[in-house]
Amino acid sequence: MKKLLLAAAVTAGFSVSAHAADYKIDTDGAHAFIQFKISHLGYSWLYGRFNTFDGQFSYDANKLVDSKINLEIDTASVDSNHAERDKHLRSADFLNVSKFPKATFTSTKIIAKEGNNFDLHGTLTLNGVAKEVVIAAEKMGEGSDPWGGYRAGFAGSTSFALKDFGINYDLGPAASTVYLDLSVEGIRQ
């Protein structure tokens, strides 16, 4: 769950290189996702997502290192497919949504890897705590869509310890790490 917040959070201004294009993340068309999983007692996985988030990115295929992304996640939109659990996840034990209704992610640098892979470094702010995280990311593709627009899409994953973001509810050692998966498709503006 926390991972999801991490993956999804950030709405801030960003600089754009001369050749970079600006994209709005396609949340209206449901072509972007922030999902998470955490171990349940070491016996199975508990999966969830954040239903409401928004953001934008700038992207230059010729100069990836100048690209930027900003996300903002509505932490109350956490959805683990179980109403009582979601109520607990929104409480002060976990996401503390009454005090911290938003989580954000703002990229700080990109390190290109082999092929379409790169490491996306940025600041994740969750539960009132800001920490640097690294998302192992991949460019999925880009091109014209059937409606006359132009799109670019990326996928990434990261993990972090709950305690790093001030979440100290004891779920046992098997459930101390959250795994976050992000899928972002943007429409060029």
Side-chain angles (χ1 to χ4, degrees):
M1 213 188 262
K2 308 290 179 179
K3 287 190 260 177
L4 206 88
L5 290 174
L6 171 65
V10 175
T11 300
F14 53 93
S15 61
V16 181
S17 72
H19 296 94
D22 294 335
Y23 291 78
K24 167 103 172 75
I25 295 175
D26 187 10
T27 54
D28 292 339
H31 294 114
F33 303 90
I34 299 173
Q35 301 173 323
F36 63 90
K37 70 178 182 179
I38 188 166
S39 175
H40 182 254
L41 305 173
Y43 304 136
S44 65
W45 290 107
L46 181 144
Y47 290 89
R49 67 183 186 203
F50 290 92
N51 291 327
T52 306
F53 61 96
D54 201 7
Q56 63 277 332
F57 61 89
S58 65
Y59 169 67
D60 183 346
N62 297 315
K63 199 167 183 190
L64 179 65
V65 297
D66 285 347
S67 300
K68 305 278 184 195
I69 185 169
N70 294 295
L71 299 169
E72 182 177 272
I73 300 166
D74 175 1
T75 56
S77 75
V78 67
D79 182 351
S80 68
N81 200 33
H82 188 277
E84 285 303 309
R85 178 174 46 232
D86 293 345
K87 183 178 176 182
H88 190 202
L89 292 172
R90 292 180 187 109
S91 78
D93 288 340
F94 293 99
L95 299 174
N96 202 2
V97 302
S98 63
K99 188 172 182 181
F100 304 108
K102 302 291 180 194
T104 60
F105 176 81
T106 303
S107 64
T108 55
K109 70 178 174 180
I110 294 176
I111 299 175
K113 301 286 189 178
E114 190 172 328
N116 288 331
N117 299 305
F118 57 96
D119 285 343
L120 176 62
H121 293 249
T123 302
L124 172 64
T125 303
L126 174 66
N127 195 33
V129 177
K131 294 253 183 200
E132 181 172 325
V133 297
V134 179
I135 299 171
E138 172 187 14
K139 176 185 170 188
M140 301 301 297
E142 67 176 299
S144 298
D145 66 26
W147 309 281
Y150 192 88
R151 295 173 181 257
F154 303 86
S157 61
T158 191
S159 63
F160 58 88
L162 294 175
K163 68 179 180 176
D164 290 346
F165 290 90
I167 300 165
N168 299 309
Y169 192 84
D170 187 8
L171 296 170
S176 62
T177 301
V178 175
Y179 300 87
L180 183 62
D181 290 315
L182 306 162
S183 179
V184 174
E185 181 177 308
I187 304 169
R188 189 164 61 194
Q189 302 298 291

